[in-house]
Amino acid sequence: MKIQPWENEAWTVSPVNFVKEVTDTYPNMPEKVGINDVTLREAEENLKCGFSLEERVEIGRRLYEAGFAGIDCGYLGTPDHENTMKILVDKGYVDPTKTDL
């Protein structure tokens, strides 16, 4: 099977990124693009997925270390979600001045 230009062994992007109308706009792309991650919020919408507080903190720490511009830790008013944000900042795992929580 031939690997398409939008995929490799580590990742896949949308094939739309290779449509001429899209590629013609690439010179206008910003030099740096920030990516926000919603794993800690959306993954738990799946009935088969749930994280302990320790797992949420570890995932958040790793996302920050990977350089994500924003980490969506969940919903305000949900104790584990709010505690995740607090622990990430209190333990120095995340600098809230460098990423959005």
Side-chain angles (χ1 to χ4, degrees), residues 39-73:
T39 300
L40 293 174
R41 183 189 75 209
E42 298 302 328
E44 291 186 341
E45 294 289 322
N46 182 330
L47 295 176
K48 295 180 183 178
C49 182
F51 301 121
S52 68
L53 183 57
E54 292 78 19
E55 290 170 324
R56 294 175 66 76
V57 169
E58 181 63 14
I59 291 167
R61 183 186 69 77
R62 290 182 185 205
L63 290 170
Y64 178 75
E65 287 180 358
F68 282 84
I71 303 168
D72 192 333
C73 293

Side-chain angles (χ1 to χ4, degrees), residues 6-98:
W6 53 82
E7 61 187 358
N8 70 26
E9 294 173 4
W11 49 263
T12 300
V13 297
S14 172
V16 173
N17 291 311
F18 293 86
V19 173
K20 181 172 178 8
E21 292 82 4
V22 174
T23 60
D24 286 349
T25 67
Y26 283 174
N28 298 323
M29 293 288 288
E31 190 171 308
K32 183 177 180 182
V33 176
I35 300 174
N36 294 334
D37 184 87
V38 297
T39 300
L40 293 174
R41 183 189 75 209
E42 298 302 328
E44 291 186 341
E45 294 289 322
N46 182 330
L47 295 176
K48 295 180 183 178
C49 182
F51 301 121
S52 68
L53 183 57
E54 292 78 19
E55 290 170 324
R56 294 175 66 76
V57 169
E58 181 63 14
I59 291 167
R61 183 186 69 77
R62 290 182 185 205
L63 290 170
Y64 178 75
E65 287 180 358
F68 282 84
I71 303 168
D72 192 333
C73 293
Y75 303 101
L76 292 175
T78 305
D80 275 354
H81 293 201
E82 287 187 14
N83 288 340
T84 300
M85 292 180 255
K86 182 174 179 356
I87 291 169
L88 286 168
V89 173
D90 289 352
K91 288 194 173 195
Y93 294 156
V94 171
D95 181 345
T97 65
K98 295 182 179 174

